[in-house]
Amino acid sequence: SVPMDKDSNTIERAVVRENAQSQQQDRKPGRQQTLLSDSTPTEQYKYALGLLRHADYLMAEKSFRAFIAANGEDDLVANAHYWLGETFYVRKDYTSAAVIFAEGYEKFPGSDKAPHNLLKLGLSLANINEQQQACKAFFELERRFTNVPSVITNRALKERKAIGCSE
């Protein structure tokens, strides 16, 4: 079942939106399938996203890790790295999530997922009582990314206020 934390609906919407093009071919992934088939990187990525969407977080984690290892140069690796972090975040393993989101930001600072990585890094750090580091992540997000969706900037601002980041 899907966890009922404040981010689960956001995750679900983002996964569905990101996977919208493949809806007609989509099927519930079976456990008998290997982590990575001999299919294209795009198909492998969609398979891992499907696992995440169906709340099979452990298999999604393993599939994203395998995808990243096998497709290091593919354009989808930055996205896969972000979703790997989400597999930990939704399971409330905030320490592991923070590590993955930080790595994702460092390795792919120019990707579309970079601001998402910073936001989730800040949220993960706040959840493990690392408020000062969380504030740094939120401030970096604001400083470096001026043209991101308002949902991201609004959430970062809300969280900054909630944990008492100085202006």
Side-chain angles (χ1 to χ4, degrees):
S1 70
V2 176
M4 298 311 292
D5 71 10
K6 60 189 172 187
D7 293 311
S8 62
N9 286 339
T10 304
I11 294 166
E12 181 69 19
R13 280 193 305 273
V15 169
V16 168
R17 184 170 51 248
E18 201 160 312
N19 211 14
Q21 296 90 357
S22 67
Q23 287 299 317
Q24 57 271 42
Q25 305 125 330
D26 193 33
R27 62 194 179 284
K28 187 167 183 174
R31 289 190 178 273
Q32 278 65 21
Q33 286 183 286
T34 59
L35 286 180
L36 292 181
S37 63
D38 290 333
S39 59
T40 67
T42 300
E43 290 166 338
Q44 294 170 356
Y45 174 78
K46 287 178 181 177
Y47 173 73
L49 265 180
L51 291 167
L52 181 62
R53 190 175 66 247
H54 293 326
D56 191 348
Y57 302 123
L58 182 59
M59 285 302 292
E61 172 198 341
K62 290 177 180 180
S63 294
F64 282 123
R65 285 188 188 281
F67 174 85
I68 292 164
N71 299 289
E73 300 303 313
D74 193 88
D75 290 343
L76 290 171
V77 170
N79 286 12
H81 204 96
Y82 170 78
W83 292 116
L84 173 61
E86 285 289 357
T87 69
F88 291 103
Y89 191 87
V90 298
R91 290 180 283 170
K92 299 184 179 355
D93 181 353
Y94 299 117
T95 302
S96 296
V99 169
I100 299 297
F101 290 129
E103 284 177 2
Y105 177 65
E106 289 169 15
K107 289 180 180 178
F108 311 103
S111 80
D112 290 344
K113 290 294 186 199
H116 299 266
N117 276 317
L118 276 176
L119 175 63
K120 283 302 180 88
L121 173 59
L123 295 173
S124 299
L125 290 166
N127 274 299
I128 56 173
N129 295 316
E130 292 286 345
Q131 274 70 11
Q132 188 175 0
Q133 295 301 316
C135 291
K136 286 182 181 179
F138 294 138
F139 286 129
E140 174 75 2
L141 172 61
E142 182 181 296
R143 182 187 69 74
R144 187 150 184 288
F145 299 99
T146 54
N147 193 20
V148 295
S150 60
V151 67
I152 293 174
T153 53
N154 291 344
R155 179 71 187 274
L157 183 61
K158 176 184 166 200
E159 295 300 325
R160 276 181 26 209
K161 289 179 180 175
I163 63 173
C165 298
S166 58
E167 292 301 320

